[in-house]
Amino acid sequence: MGASKADFFSEEQNEIATLFKAISHPARVAVIEYLLKVDSCICGDIVNELPLAQPTVSQHLKELKNANIIKGNIEGTAICYCLNPETMKKMEAYFSGISKELKTKCC
């Protein structure tokens, strides 16, 4: 089997691309912002906050969870979602590195 184009890039580049792809939808950005505000919640809380149907919210939560941006803990019959601090640190470090490089460069 041939190599995919992702094979030509570093593991870190592929990981960052996966993270950014997962947050490339405005509904997912809204979910992240909501979780920042409330710390943790269940899917129904997010459905009440966003103008989206429950299955649509569930699909967006699945994408965020697959990218390890959010975590879900089972509490009774519901899943309580929160942001994954380790992933947030990776994103922060990525942008911090860009910011540092920009300070030393001029166009």
Side-chain angles (χ1 to χ4, degrees):
M1 179 178 275
S4 75
K5 290 187 181 187
D7 292 337
F8 296 109
F9 300 98
S10 72
E11 185 177 330
E12 181 182 359
Q13 289 168 330
N14 281 298
E15 183 179 3
I16 290 295
T18 298
L19 292 174
F20 292 155
K21 182 179 177 185
I23 62 171
S24 67
H25 192 286
R28 295 181 202 141
V29 172
V31 168
I32 291 168
E33 290 173 353
Y34 182 69
L35 289 174
L36 278 169
K37 217 171 28 173
V38 299
D39 191 37
S40 68
C41 68
I42 59 172
C43 180
D45 296 337
I46 298 169
V47 170
N48 292 335
E49 182 73 16
L50 301 179
L52 301 171
Q54 186 276 324
T56 304
V57 170
S58 291
Q59 183 62 36
H60 287 302
L61 290 169
K62 178 182 173 187
E63 291 296 324
L64 290 169
K65 191 166 184 193
N66 286 344
N68 212 20
I69 293 171
I70 63 172
K71 300 189 289 186
N73 298 314
I74 298 173
E75 293 186 4
T77 59
I79 299 176
C80 183
Y81 293 98
C82 64
L83 291 171
N84 184 338
E86 291 83 26
T87 303
M88 295 297 111
K89 286 178 186 174
K90 286 179 187 177
M91 293 172 69
E92 180 183 13
Y94 179 76
F95 282 115
S96 178
I98 289 174
S99 182
K100 286 178 187 175
E101 286 292 320
L102 285 174
K103 288 179 183 176
T104 64
K105 303 213 184 299
C106 181
C107 53

